[in-house]
Amino acid sequence: MSVATDRSATRRTREPGTPPRSLVALASAALVAGTGLAIWVLPAETGGWARAGQAPHVRVSPPHLTTRPAADRAPGPAPSPAGVRPSGFVTFVDTVRDPLYNLTRAARQSNVRWFTLGHLTAGQRGCTPEWGGGQEQDGNPVANRLGRLRAAGGDAGLAFGGPAGRELAAACTDLGRLTAAYRRAVGAFGATYIDFEVQDPGDDETVLRRAGAITALQREAAARGRPLTVSFTLPVTRTGLAPRDEAMLRASRQAGVEITAVNLLAPVWRTPAGQADLRPVASAVRAAHAQVARSLGVPTAWHRIALTPVLAGSRDLTAADARKLVAFTARNGLAWLSTRGAAPTSDVARLLTAMSR
């Protein structure tokens, strides 16, 4: 009997209950394919388990700031290498009061990744944003160095509003012209992040006009594949936000604004002995948390709160205070930490900016 005839007979005389080999081969192939699909849809990594109802909080260290060739450091609205959202420690720069501030040098010395440049308010023509309400938009030497900062790996956002001049939405009553004014500023500096420091929310029309302009800008940015991050900087007291500020946030969100963070301006209270007391700051943030969550329509909002203590003097914070602020920010997963007012001492500044490394 030939070999071919012998193998054919063996196939015809398989034991009862044993499936045909063709069926076994088909099932094996299906099993391999199914296993591959299951592996493909699983997350690549868990990054740690979060508590119920809470997303994992992951901190990513920023890249080390490096110097690139001079040809790459020309000013201009180049795309940001730092991403679109501030993180770590964010340095605020009053570009009118400190026109010689060197963004790139400050970034290298502290390794701070993000800056906020302020403040753009309405000029005499109402619908034209100017630095401090009196300096031409393209005439600011600090903002004009943004290209060098970005070439070094950092970035800066624009702050509208603030204490000097009128906020654009209050001065420019035409929605189209207001939107165009914001758009020109964002485009001129290639901004991926803008902040609105609202001293007075204004009437309902002002709130909705501002919200309409911001919403239009965010939709345009999303269509270009370059999202525009928006935050609101608001004062906070021991009891939290003022009711009108809470209402403004809620109305802006309902009008379509995607609010990434609410930056809380918290004064540093002092004890009768003259020492800083950070307990009221923590209480203010906790009180504001519930308000921010309600306003933004989310169950928890810790990661959407930024904290900015306002210093009356450079010695308002000690090294121990700085460590407490950094620990509080990290423990609660706040969006970022900053300061306003007087500049902290060099040793305190080193501790605060260390969270950006």
Side-chain angles (χ1 to χ4, degrees), residues 53-80:
Q54 180 183 0
H57 182 69
V58 180
R59 288 193 177 277
V60 180
S61 299
H64 182 69
L65 296 172
T66 57
T67 304
R68 297 185 181 180
D72 294 334
R73 291 188 276 113
S80 163

Side-chain angles (χ1 to χ4, degrees), residues 64-122:
H64 182 69
L65 296 172
T66 57
T67 304
R68 297 185 181 180
D72 294 334
R73 291 188 276 113
S80 163
V84 297
R85 298 190 179 194
S87 60
F89 186 87
V90 178
T91 298
F92 174 80
V93 183
D94 189 326
T95 62
V96 177
R97 292 186 178 183
D98 197 357
L100 300 180
Y101 192 92
N102 191 312
L103 291 168
T104 309
R105 182 172 59 199
R108 288 201 194 100
Q109 291 176 347
S110 64
N111 211 36
V112 167
R113 183 184 186 185
W114 275 96
F115 297 78
T116 303
L117 309 183
H119 289 95
L120 285 163
T121 54

Side-chain angles (χ1 to χ4, degrees), residues 222-249:
R224 295 193 299 269
R226 193 165 180 242
L228 181 63
T229 297
V230 171
S231 67
F232 282 85
T233 292
L234 302 171
V236 67
T237 67
R238 297 170 188 250
T239 58
L241 295 170
R244 62 180 184 175
D245 289 335
E246 182 179 357
M248 183 269 294
L249 289 174

